[in-house]
């Protein structure tokens, strides 16, 4: 015998059980302010008892909101940085029972325009533009008629709101930590000079050295974001500055290579040379020997902050300018403790 199909519970059923009109039930379930708290509680109890599941599509057609956000990135393959930001945004959206549609343009302008059109056709309520390098990028806002927030990148239009990690602030944390431990001959090895993050971190390191009355050990060494460059740069550094007692590195991969070179050269970490990395890439930092002191970018918090600013814009209170989110120092064994003179 064929099984009878269960009839879906409707808003009318909820209203009847709660003893209110359908309009009042709708307002109560949508958190509209004109419903008394007691009535709202009664309607919610009725909805729970009946296991009422609202039709999101129908609700969107009525309210003009789909409770869906478009998230557009240019480089999802840069998972080290983009995935944590995406997770932070998705968690914040999930808390508000909103959904996210993710599109990866892969750095292609034609693909990017296609995805913008596609997401707008899906009537998303807003956009989050996710970068991969915490750097400046061209604004897309003029092509998007709904609110837009940029995260882990900075729009070149000051009228946009951009949520970025405070690279200079993180570098100051690292440099001050080394100074506080009694290190006085501090060098800096970092990545590609073309990255704003590398330049900002180097400038902040030099600033702390000067403010602390110390002379930086040589100029910052710019190169690749790789362990190989870390090994090579550390060998060069010690050949010209054998008295170096601390090295601040622009990434954890570079720092890993630096510690390898120091071991090969017979230098103990941290007794002879303290090492600090950047990014808190735990697969690298925790496996380094010794485990690496590093700067955490708080990437998930960047994603959550982007959602917060997007909600504000959807509520009619858009922001503009650049919001620099604080980083934090994760202290592990690679910096040890202050040495006795």
């Amino acid at each position: 015998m064929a099984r009878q199909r269960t009839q879906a519970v409707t808003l009318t059923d909820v209203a009847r059980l709660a003893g209110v009109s359908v309009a009042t039930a709708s307002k109560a379930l949508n958190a509209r302010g004109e419903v008394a708290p007691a009535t709202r509680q009664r309607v919610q109890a009725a909805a729970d008892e009946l296991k009422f599941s609202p039709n999101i599509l129908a609700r969107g057609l009525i309210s003009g909101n789909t409770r869906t956000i478009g998230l557009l990135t240019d480089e999802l393959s840069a998972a080290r940085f983009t995935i944590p930001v995406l997770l932070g945004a998705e968690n914040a959206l999930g808390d508000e029972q909103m959904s996210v549609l993710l599109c990866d343009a892969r750095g292609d302008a034609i693909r990017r325009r296609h995805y913008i059109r596609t997401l707008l056709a899906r009537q998303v309520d807003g956009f989050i533009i996710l970068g991969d390098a915490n750097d400046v990028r061209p604004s897309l806002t003029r092509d998007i008629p709904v609110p837009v927030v940029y995260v882990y990148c900075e729009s070149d239009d000051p009228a946009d709101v951009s949520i970025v990690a405070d690279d200079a602030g993180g570098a100051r944390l690292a440099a001050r930590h080394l100074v506080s431990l009694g290190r006085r001959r501090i060098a800096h090895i970092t990545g590609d000079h073309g990255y704003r993050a590398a330049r900002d971190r180097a400038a902040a390191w030099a600033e702390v050295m000067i403010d602390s009355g110390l002379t930086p050990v040589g100029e910052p060494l710019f190169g690749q974001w790789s362990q190989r460059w870390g090994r090579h740069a550390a060998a060069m550094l010690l050949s010209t500055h054998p008295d170096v007692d601390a090295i601040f590195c622009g990434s954890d991969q570079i720092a890993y290579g630096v510690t390898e070179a120091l071991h090969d050269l017979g230098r103990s970490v941290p007794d002879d040379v303290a090492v600090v990395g950047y990014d808190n890439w735990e697969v690298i930092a925790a496996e380094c020997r010794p485990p690496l002191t590093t700067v955490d970018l708080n990437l998930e918090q960047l994603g959550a902050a982007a959602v917060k600013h997007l909600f504000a814009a959807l509520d009619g209170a858009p922001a503009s300018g650049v919001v620099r989110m604080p980083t934090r120092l994760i202290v592990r064994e690679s910096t040890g403790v202050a040495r006795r003179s």
Side-chain angles (χ1 to χ4, degrees):
M1 187 172 70
R3 180 180 298 177
Q4 285 190 334
R5 189 172 180 178
T6 302
Q7 186 172 3
V9 175
T10 68
L11 184 61
T12 300
D13 298 325
V14 174
R16 183 181 300 114
L17 181 60
V20 299
S21 68
V22 172
T24 298
S26 176
K27 292 176 183 178
L29 293 175
N30 284 284
R32 296 280 293 276
E34 56 264 37
V35 179
T39 303
R40 188 189 316 282
Q41 186 175 3
R42 192 165 73 252
V43 171
Q44 187 61 60
D48 293 343
E49 180 180 338
L50 295 174
K51 295 182 174 57
F52 172 66
S53 179
N55 186 321
I56 299 298
L57 178 59
R59 178 186 290 179
L61 292 173
I62 294 170
S63 67
N65 298 320
T66 61
R67 302 192 66 77
T68 303
I69 299 300
L71 196 150
L72 180 63
T73 180
D74 271 339
E75 199 57 64
L76 191 58
S77 63
R80 165 67 192 96
F81 301 102
T82 56
I83 294 299
V85 178
L86 172 60
L87 288 174
E90 198 277 334
N91 285 338
L93 289 167
D95 290 343
E96 297 295 328
Q97 298 183 334
M98 297 187 74
S99 301
V100 59
L101 298 176
L102 172 64
C103 296
D104 182 5
R106 303 177 193 173
D108 183 88
I110 295 175
R111 184 186 293 266
R112 189 182 305 116
R113 288 195 295 270
H114 164 72
Y115 281 137
I116 290 174
R117 289 195 299 268
T118 299
L119 290 169
L120 290 174
R122 296 291 297 270
Q123 297 184 322
V124 296
D125 296 331
F127 272 73
I128 294 176
I129 308 298
L130 172 57
D132 65 331
N134 212 40
D135 219 327
V136 179
R137 60 160 300 146
S139 174
L140 300 173
T141 306
R142 61 182 175 276
D143 299 321
I144 302 174
V146 294
V148 182
V149 172
Y150 297 79
V151 62
Y152 203 61
C153 60
E154 180 181 335
S155 167
D156 63 2
D157 185 346
D160 292 331
V161 61
S162 305
I163 317 298
V164 299
D166 186 359
D167 279 308
R172 283 190 286 269
L173 286 176
R176 288 169 183 161
H177 174 64
L178 291 170
V179 172
S180 74
L181 296 176
R183 307 291 172 159
R184 294 294 178 265
R185 299 284 296 160
I186 305 172
H188 183 42
I189 297 174
T190 191
D192 189 340
H193 189 274
Y195 282 73
R196 183 180 65 170
R199 300 191 302 272
D200 286 352
R201 294 170 193 173
W205 160 77
E207 173 190 304
V208 171
M209 294 300 97
I210 294 170
D211 290 347
S212 302
L214 301 176
T215 301
V217 176
E219 294 295 322
L221 296 177
F222 291 94
Q224 298 176 327
W225 302 102
S226 68
Q227 291 171 231
R228 181 177 181 180
W229 164 242
R231 289 193 298 269
H232 178 65
M236 287 194 307
L237 175 67
L238 266 71
S239 68
T240 55
H241 300 282
D243 58 345
V244 64
D245 66 1
I247 303 174
F248 166 44
C249 302
S251 78
D252 290 343
Q253 284 182 287
I254 292 172
Y256 198 111
V258 165
T259 61
E260 290 179 320
L262 290 171
H263 290 315
D264 291 345
L265 294 168
R267 303 298 180 93
S268 172
V269 178
D271 292 340
D272 296 326
V273 182
V275 178
V276 177
Y278 207 104
D279 297 334
N280 194 30
W281 190 358
E282 291 199 26
V283 69
I284 296 288
E287 291 302 317
C288 188
R289 290 294 176 265
L292 194 62
T293 293
T294 183
V295 176
D296 192 314
L297 295 170
N298 290 330
L299 293 172
E300 289 197 24
Q301 290 186 17
L302 261 68
V307 170
K308 176 183 177 181
H309 281 272
L310 186 59
F311 285 166
L314 291 171
D315 288 339
S320 61
V322 180
V323 179
R324 301 192 185 280
M325 299 291 290
T327 57
R328 61 188 176 122
L329 186 71
I330 307 297
V331 178
R332 299 190 179 96
E333 289 90 327
S334 69
T335 52
V337 296
R339 296 173 300 169
R340 297 181 184 278
S341 55

